Amino acid sequence: MSGTYLGMPSFPEAAGKAVRDETLRGNLRHATHTIRDKRAKAVSELVDWPGLREAGKQIKDRTLRHLDDYLVQLEKSVTAAGGTVHWAADADEANRIVAELVKATGEREVVKVKSMATQEIGLNEALEAEGITAYETDLAELIVQLGEDRPSHILVPAIHRNRGEIREIFARTMSEWGRPAPEGLTDAPAELAEAARLHLREKFLRAKVGISGANFMVAETGTLVVVESEGNGRMCLTLPETLISVVGIEKTVPTWQDLEVFLQTLPRSSTAERMNPYTSTWTGTTEADGPKNFHLVLLDNGRTATLADEVGRQALRCIRCSACLNVCPVYERAGGHAYGSVYPGPIGAILSPQLRGMESEIDASLPYASSLCGACYDVCPVAIDIPEVLVHLRERAAGRGGRGHRLEKAAMKAAGWVLNHPAVLAAGEKVASKTRGLHPKRLPGASAWTDSRDLPELPPEPFRDWWKKNRT
Amino acid sequence: MSSRDLILARVRAAVADAPEAAEVSRDYLTSHTADDPAAVLDLLHENLADYRALVHRTRPAGLPALIARLLAQRGATQVLAPMGLPAPWLARAAATRIDDRETSTAQELDAVDSVVTGCAVAIAETGTIVLDGGADQGRRRITLVPDHHICVVRAPDQVVASVPQALPRLDPARPLTWISGPSATSDIELDRVEGVHGPRTLEVVLLEG
Ligand code: SF4
C-alpha cells in the first residue's frame, strides 16, 4: 500500500526515540489512562457485553466468509438508491478514481471527514499532486495537518500534542490555510476549539465536494454510517453537492439489524460514551436533502491478501475503536508514530504488515512491538485475538531469514521497559501461550519464541492484576 | 479484468478453504431497562442531561410558552422551522419564523439563531434523539448549522429504551441523524469542549401526555 511513511525507521528505532521524549510520554500517558478508565465504566453498564462482543465477532466473521456475496449485494443496493459504486484494487487506483471524480466537478477544493482509509492510501498527497487541496475538518486531524505532522492514534490523532503545542501550531499556521487564528489566542481548550470552528466554518459553507470514509456499510440496504462527535462529519456529508466515500471492503455488515450490535459496542469502546454525539446514515442520495451525487469507492489495497491468511484474517473484523491502543503498555511508551503506519498500537502491529506485506524493515518489526500481555484481546469488542496473530506473524517474519529474533530484542529494548521487568514479560507470555492452547498447531511458534530466553519465576497472580498494581 | 472482477475473484480465492461461518447468535439483551414508560422517560432525561443537553418537561398546553421562553432566553430573533412543524409550537414565539427551504444557502442558515424540530425516536439508555427528515424535522443541515437546536420529543410514543428497539422503527432509506448531546470534541488533552461545529446548545423538550 502506498501512503506509508517513507523513510520511516523500523519500530525499534522509532520507539527508542519516543520513549526518551518526556513531553510525548506525558501526553500519551495522561490520555490513554483517562480513556481506559472511562471505557471500563461505560462497558460495565451493559451486563450483556460478552453477548454483544460475541455477536459482533460472528457478524464480522460471517461477512468475511461471504464477502463476495455481500459486496455484490451492497453494490446493488447503493446503485438502486441513486449512488455510483467504484472498485479500487489498490491505493493508486482509489486515488485516481477520487481525483477524476473531483476534477469532473470542476472544483479544486474538498472538505474531508476523518478517515483512516484515505490516510492509508495517501489521498491528500495524491490530490495535491493533481492541484486539489484537501482540508481535514476533524479538530485533531486539523492539528495534524496544520502541524505538518502525522496522526498518532486512531481516535484522537493529535493525542501526542498538548494544548501549548496546539496553540502554537494554530497561531503560526492557520493564516496560510485560510482564516487566521484570533489575536491573543490562549491555550484554553475552549478557545482553541473556537478558533478551529471559525477557521473551518468558512470552508464548510462554500464546499462543493466532501470526502469521507464510513464506519459501516449495510449490504442489505446500501446504507453508509459515519460515527463522530464534532459535527464536522455532518457538515461534509450534507452541505456539499458531491459526496465521495472511500471505504475498505471489510467495513460491510449484512443487515440493518446488525447495527444494533456495533452502535452499542463502538462508542463505549472508543470514546467511552454511551453514544457518540453524532451518527449519520445515508442511503444513496435523497431528493432535496444533502448531496445530489454520491460515489462509493470500495477499497481492497491488501485486504483480500489479509483475508487469505487463516490466522491473520480476523484483523479485518476491526471496527477501529482504538480500545486496544489505550490498554497497550508498549503503545503507551512508544507512541503512535513509532508504528510507521496509519494504524498504530496493537491493531496496527497486526494489520499494517498484512496490508502492506512484510518486505520492509518496519513491517517485519511490527509483530514484535508487543509484550503479548493480552490486554488488547480482553478489550477488543470484536474479540480479535491480537496476540495470536502477532505470534503467527512473527513466525512469518522469522521465516524470512532469522532476523526475527534480532527484531524482537530490539523492539523490546526500544520500548524501554520489558527487559527491566522480566516478570511482566514472562506473565505476558504465559497469557499468550494460554491463548495458543486453543490453537495447538500454533504452539511451536509461540514456544520457539519463549525458548529464546531464560524465563524467570512466573508471578502467582494473573498478569492483569500484577500490571494494575505495578504499572509505572 | 475489471477491478471489480479482480477483487471479487481475490475474495473468492481467499475464503475458498475457510470453514463455513457460524450462524450469528443474538445472545444479547434487547433492552437493559425495565419495561415502564415513566422509568424509561426518566432515564432518557437523565442521560440527555449527562451529555449536557438542557432538558425540559411540559404538557401540550405548556409547549408554546416554553418554546417562546427558550427562544427569548437565547435572544433569538429568527427561528428556523421545518415545513411540517405543528403551528402551535411557535404560536407564542416572538422570533420570526423562517421556513426550511431547499433553495436557502448554507450562509443563510448560518445567519439564523435557532431551530425547532420534532424527532423520529428517542433512545433512553444512550440519551439519543434520532431525526429522519420527517415533515416536522426537515433537512439534515437545518439542525446542524444554527447554533441552538430545540427538539421536541413526544412521550411516550417516540421514546424507546434501547438501540435494538430503535432500529426497527427507523427507515434506512431515509437519511438519519442520531444526536446525543451537543457537538463536542475531546481532541485537546481529552478535555471535553462543546460546540465545535454543530450546535453549541441542544435543548430537548419532553412532551408528556
Ligand atoms: S483491534 Fe479491536 S480493540 Fe483494537 S481498534 Fe480494532 S476493534 Fe478496537
Side-chain angles (χ1 to χ4, degrees), chain B residues 39-193:
Chain B
V40 171
L41 190 63
D42 286 344
L43 183 65
L44 175 65
H45 186 150
E46 192 184 310
N47 284 338
L48 281 165
D50 196 31
Y51 283 172
R52 300 186 206 179
L54 307 175
V55 187
H56 313 273
R57 287 183 173 204
T58 187
R59 302 216 163 250
L63 185 63
L66 174 62
I67 290 179
R69 176 166 65 79
L70 298 179
L71 290 170
Q73 276 171 357
R74 191 74 197 180
T77 57
Q78 296 184 316
V79 55
L80 197 56
M83 289 296 193
L85 196 82
W89 291 11
L90 290 179
R92 309 264 306 261
T96 312
R97 174 173 174 150
I98 312 241
D99 287 324
D100 168 27
R101 285 182 202 287
E102 195 194 349
T103 48
S104 51
T105 64
Q107 282 80 0
E108 284 163 359
L109 297 179
D110 195 30
V112 176
D113 306 302
S114 304
V115 58
V116 178
T117 71
C119 74
V121 173
I123 307 168
E125 286 177 6
T126 56
T128 305
I129 51 175
V130 187
L131 311 185
D132 71 355
D136 61 352
Q137 298 152 58
R139 293 172 182 79
R140 284 171 277 178
R141 57 189 196 160
I142 67 168
T143 55
L144 172 64
V145 181
D147 217 13
H148 179 219
H149 178 196
I150 300 171
C151 178
V152 178
V153 179
R154 294 181 171 105
D157 297 0
Q158 294 183 321
V159 181
V160 298
S162 66
V163 172
Q165 290 177 355
L167 279 162
R169 294 178 52 152
L170 295 165
D171 178 0
R174 308 176 80 114
L176 305 179
T177 305
W178 300 46
I179 301 173
S180 311
S183 157
T185 184
S186 300
D187 282 347
I188 302 165
E189 296 182 24
L190 299 177
D191 268 10
R192 189 173 165 107
V193 177

Side-chain angles (χ1 to χ4, degrees), chain A residues 154 318-325 347 376 379-382 384 386:
Chain A
I154 292 178
C318 176
I319 56 172
R320 314 274 190 264
C321 72
S322 75
C324 59
L325 277 62
I347 182 60
C376 50
V379 296
C380 179
V382 284
I384 300 172
I386 296 177

Side-chain angles (χ1 to χ4, degrees), chain A residues 75-118:
Chain A
E75 176 184 49
K76 218 169 131 204
S77 328
V78 170
T79 310
T84 309
V85 177
H86 311 258
W87 301 71
D90 57 23
D92 287 345
E93 187 173 15
N95 288 333
R96 215 164 41 237
I97 293 169
V98 176
E100 290 304 321
L101 290 170
V102 176
K103 280 197 219 155
T105 66
E107 293 297 314
R108 284 278 172 256
E109 280 180 3
V110 301
V111 286
K112 282 188 69 205
V113 191
K114 174 175 176 292
S115 135
M116 315 237 26
T118 60

